[in-house]
Each structure stands twice: as structure tokens, then as C-alpha cells.
Amino acid sequence: MVIEYNGTILRNEVAIQKEKIYRSQNRPVFMFRIDSQHVVDATRTGGLARYINHSCAPNCVAEVVTFERGYKIIISCVRRIDKGEELCFDYQFDTVEGQQKIACHCGAPECRKWIN
Ligand SMILES: [Zn+2]
């Protein structure tokens, strides 16, 4: 385990409203989708894990662990990480038809070109 992705667990409908508010305030949005109904909002209450970038060839993986009273998102390494190496994981964004594509700049030889 490297770090926990902390934040506030929101229902999907609330997360959509919060994202609109953050964007209207030109605030960077940090959210992690747990499932179709729940999102962790790390925009205002999150820890350092929210700054971990996407990569198509990541050195970490994000896992959602379910507890009786909720969820935890655990970032774990999938290989040895060298000192000073940037942490990254695959965001695994769904492709939504009509949604603007987000270009990937991870630089990996196997880069898929798009994050979503
Ligand atoms: Zn990439």
C-alpha cells in the first residue's frame, strides 16, 4: 500500500452538482468514482493521493475496498518504484458517447492516446 485516496463519499447526484459548482468557481476537480452510485470527492477534503496522475503503463493500481460502513480507496504499487519516480495509476475512465475526449500525455510506449 502506498496511500489512501481520501475524500468525502457522495451519492452520484450530489457529486454531479458539486462538480458543476467547482467548475463555475474555476476550481480544479478531484473526484474518484467508486461505482455507478458513489463518488469520492477529494476537491476540498482530499489528501495527497488526489494529485496522482494517470498513466497507461502505471506503477500503481487503485483498489476500492468495501467495509461494513463504507469504502476505502487504496493506492498500491504494482512493481518496484524507484526513488523520485512519479506515482501513477490507470484512471480507467469509461468512454461516454458525446463526451469530450481527454488526451493522455503519459509518454508510455503503450499509451492509448486518450484517458477516456
Ligand atoms: Zn497514456
Side-chain angles (χ1 to χ4, degrees):
M1 178 187 163
V2 178
I3 193 169
E4 180 181 349
Y5 191 103
N6 292 315
T8 305
I9 298 175
L10 304 175
R11 286 180 297 112
N12 201 41
E13 297 80 9
V14 176
I16 291 168
Q17 292 305 314
K18 288 250 185 181
E19 183 176 357
K20 285 179 185 170
I21 292 168
Y22 295 149
R23 295 209 184 277
S24 74
Q25 297 169 339
N26 287 324
R27 186 186 294 269
V29 178
F30 298 95
M31 292 188 174
F32 187 110
R33 174 163 297 287
I34 295 172
D35 56 30
S36 62
Q37 295 300 312
H38 299 95
V39 173
V40 169
D41 179 4
T43 304
R44 299 186 75 168
T45 59
L48 291 173
R50 65 183 164 170
Y51 299 116
I52 298 176
N53 284 318
H54 164 87
S55 175
C56 299
N59 54 19
C60 293
V61 63
E63 298 170 291
V64 178
V65 180
T66 307
F67 289 91
E68 284 179 28
R69 291 182 294 163
Y71 308 91
K72 288 198 180 291
I73 301 167
I74 306 297
I75 310 294
S76 305
C77 62
V78 293
R79 62 169 172 77
R80 183 174 172 77
I81 298 173
D82 293 328
K83 184 178 179 182
E85 183 180 351
E86 180 182 349
L87 301 176
C88 51
F89 66 91
D90 187 337
Y91 286 3
Q92 300 182 345
F93 284 170
D94 291 332
T95 301
V96 179
E97 199 164 313
Q99 188 181 45
Q100 187 175 359
K101 295 293 257 179
I102 303 169
C104 183
H105 303 286
C106 75
E110 56 270 66
C111 180
R112 297 187 302 265
K113 193 176 170 186
W114 306 105
I115 295 176
N116 59 344

